[in-house]
Amino acid sequence: MRTWIAGSLALGLICSTLPVNAFEKQETIHPATLTKAKEVPAFSKQAGSALTGRFDSDGFAVWYFDAKDFVTKGTHFEFELDYDTYGTMFASKADAEAGRVYNRYYQVTDDTLYFPLSWSGRQYLVLEGYPGDRYSVPAYISRYEPIEESMTAAVKAVKPALLVQTRPGAMRAQSFGASKVESLVSELRIERLVYDSYADAEAAKKKFERSNSVAFAEFDAPIQAFGVDAYQKHQWSLQNTGQKKGLKGADIGFVAMQKRIKGKKLSATKVAVLDSGINPTYADFAGKVRMDLGYDFINGDKTAWDDNGHGSHVAGIIAAGGNNTYGMTGINPMTTLIPIKVLDESGAGSVSGLVKGIQHATKQGARVINMSLGGSSSSKSIESALAAAVKKNILIVAASGNEGRGTVAYPARSKYVLSVGATGRKDTKASFSNYGTGIDLVAPGVSIPSYLADGELLYGSGTSMATPHVAGVASLMISLKPSLKASSVESILKKSAKDLGKKGYDTSYGAGRLNADNAVKLIP
């Protein structure tokens, strides 16, 4: 339940109706064509340059560049095409050979192609025209703010399903008309049973509830996402200087915290991001994303690739590389991200997927689990998975929800979870942020810049954005002192928070707003 600020990219580069996933499968480029690629010349933002030459006998001309060579000069490449020249961008050689076209900015405005300089490795521009004709494509480096774009998509209809947990030592003998039965988490004795109609599922649920061998039966309810680097100056949550009418100092104390830990040894800490997956190919994510440890529970794939953008946005807040001239700065430079995909391309998922995701994170040795997602209904299946994770010394952080209600969403309101609400630039609760009994902390969650699934940066608003601030600081504390117990981390985070609202704990701000510097200072 996250909110993405509607609008358009600064200077009107892109309309909000463009697809979330900016990669599109097209005809593959023959490897021999790529070998003819010429290097884009180095030039300044002011001067620019023109890519000139003749199309080959097949009507192609290929150019390459490395984003790292230009990222200090700006945030985007611009290539001015015309009606005689057709241009296609590829984020890597592998994408070019596989035909994965980067099409978000494909001839959108006045035939100008815009491409973010956020990728690692080598990028390719393939020009097409009439064989033998000469061409001249002006190229520039430009600097833009993060996107303000709506990201909405229809949620797919799914068949009703029940989650059934068998009592220890008992065997469930009947499925009561289920069309499909699968073991969800064998360690927790939970199965998922699919039915053809809600009437059939409801009837089966009543029968299960009368069975002595069944601990519980519940519907598999939906969950959803709660909605000196190039963009660092826009990260007010890390350093609020009063920019854009904010309140000076209404940040998480990141700058002071960095000074405090300078020179101290940091150990790598595993953080599981249960979301829509992560795009690992950004330069800011180099060496941080363990795709081999993750899993895609939506598509049954070992590679948890992000096709929505929400997961990459969350991951960037936690762990993006800092002071490397690329897009942004994450909170903990020693985070090892475990991408676990439990949300589909529309940002929707299910209780069963979340249960599997929590269990997978537990098995992979995560120290922190970030869940910027949730729903309205509680779940005994999720409670079982959360309890098992907590026993393994895992801190679980979840978003309070974005309906502006006095009830914290689930699983954030679970006793096993540290729930997080959102604040804005002036250190007051965001209007959309859920509150009430069970709220533990608040953190910045309005207009927070981070990555999409396609290399662009977007201003995102929601408790989804507040939660990874807490997960990032928690992981940093564990990196500083790996022996810290999850319960101690939670206690310190609450004790060190800046008290807002009524004195002491209150149901609007919980223990207060996250303060990274104070938290680090209180580590014993």
Side-chain angles (χ1 to χ4, degrees), residues 158-162 175-180 193-205 219-220:
V158 295
K159 285 188 175 183
L162 295 179
S175 301
F176 299 119
S179 59
K180 181 180 179 182
L193 291 78
V194 180
Y195 292 85
D196 293 329
S197 71
Y198 278 98
D200 290 344
E202 182 62 42
K205 181 174 181 291
F219 275 98
D220 188 5

Side-chain angles (χ1 to χ4, degrees), residues 202-222:
E202 182 62 42
K205 181 174 181 291
K206 292 179 180 179
K207 292 178 181 178
F208 281 126
E209 289 171 342
R210 293 195 294 267
S211 172
N212 292 329
S213 63
V214 172
F216 65 78
E218 62 184 7
F219 275 98
D220 188 5

Side-chain angles (χ1 to χ4, degrees), residues 92-113:
S92 67
K93 184 178 180 181
D95 281 353
E97 293 175 346
R100 278 172 46 87
V101 176
Y102 184 93
N103 69 342
R104 175 185 282 273
Y105 299 115
Y106 177 64
Q107 297 186 347
V108 175
T109 307
D110 297 326
D111 294 324
T112 298
L113 191 153

Side-chain angles (χ1 to χ4, degrees), residues 6-52:
S8 60
L9 178 60
L11 305 186
L13 297 185
I14 183 173
C15 66
S16 61
T17 57
L18 287 176
V20 172
N21 186 3
F23 290 98
E24 183 177 281
K25 192 70 179 287
Q26 299 286 349
E27 183 178 349
T28 57
I29 302 300
H30 195 280
T33 302
L34 295 180
T35 62
K36 302 175 184 178
K38 295 188 291 184
E39 184 175 7
V40 173
F43 55 84
S44 67
K45 173 185 174 183
Q46 292 76 20
S49 184
L51 310 182
T52 60

